Amino acid sequence: MSSAESFVPTPLLLSDSARIRLKALMEEQSNQAPRLRVYVTGGGCSGFQYGFDFADRLADDDTVIDFGDATLVVDPLSYQYLVGSTVDYEEGLAGARFRVQNPNASSTCGCGASFMV
């Protein structure tokens, strides 16, 4: 890297398991451009909660983070709470789900679906 270049960290990361699951879900729906919208809303037992949806449409102010075979989309309000986080996918006794590993959260609920900053 030259002195003129600077390293800009990825605002969000996507785990391998989340990428594989997202790609599989999108193939099931015959959608070859897998985009997962990650967002934060008020509520949940810890103050904020995470949400996930397929991003069929993009807003002008969305942040789009491309990982090659999958893409994350984040709205500007949610972005500030998610910078540095990893979107993961897990399967277990409680079921299968996408989840956010957020280093900015000062506390989370037992299920990990809500958090406080």
Side-chain angles (χ1 to χ4, degrees), residues 37-114:
R37 181 174 296 281
V38 184
Y39 58 92
V40 173
T41 60
C45 51
S46 293
F48 295 102
Q49 61 188 12
Y50 302 110
F52 301 94
D53 197 2
F54 293 115
D56 295 327
R57 297 173 194 230
L58 298 176
D60 290 339
D61 56 355
D62 280 338
T63 297
V64 177
I65 307 159
D66 185 25
F67 293 95
D69 57 353
T71 303
L72 293 178
V73 178
V74 183
D75 65 86
L77 182 62
S78 300
Y79 183 91
Q80 63 187 326
Y81 297 108
L82 295 170
V83 169
S85 298
T86 300
V87 175
D88 194 13
Y89 178 78
E90 65 182 11
E91 294 182 15
L93 295 175
R97 65 185 176 143
F98 286 100
R99 57 176 249 143
V100 176
Q101 297 171 350
N102 188 341
N104 304 309
S106 61
S107 66
T108 60
C109 67
C111 68
S114 67

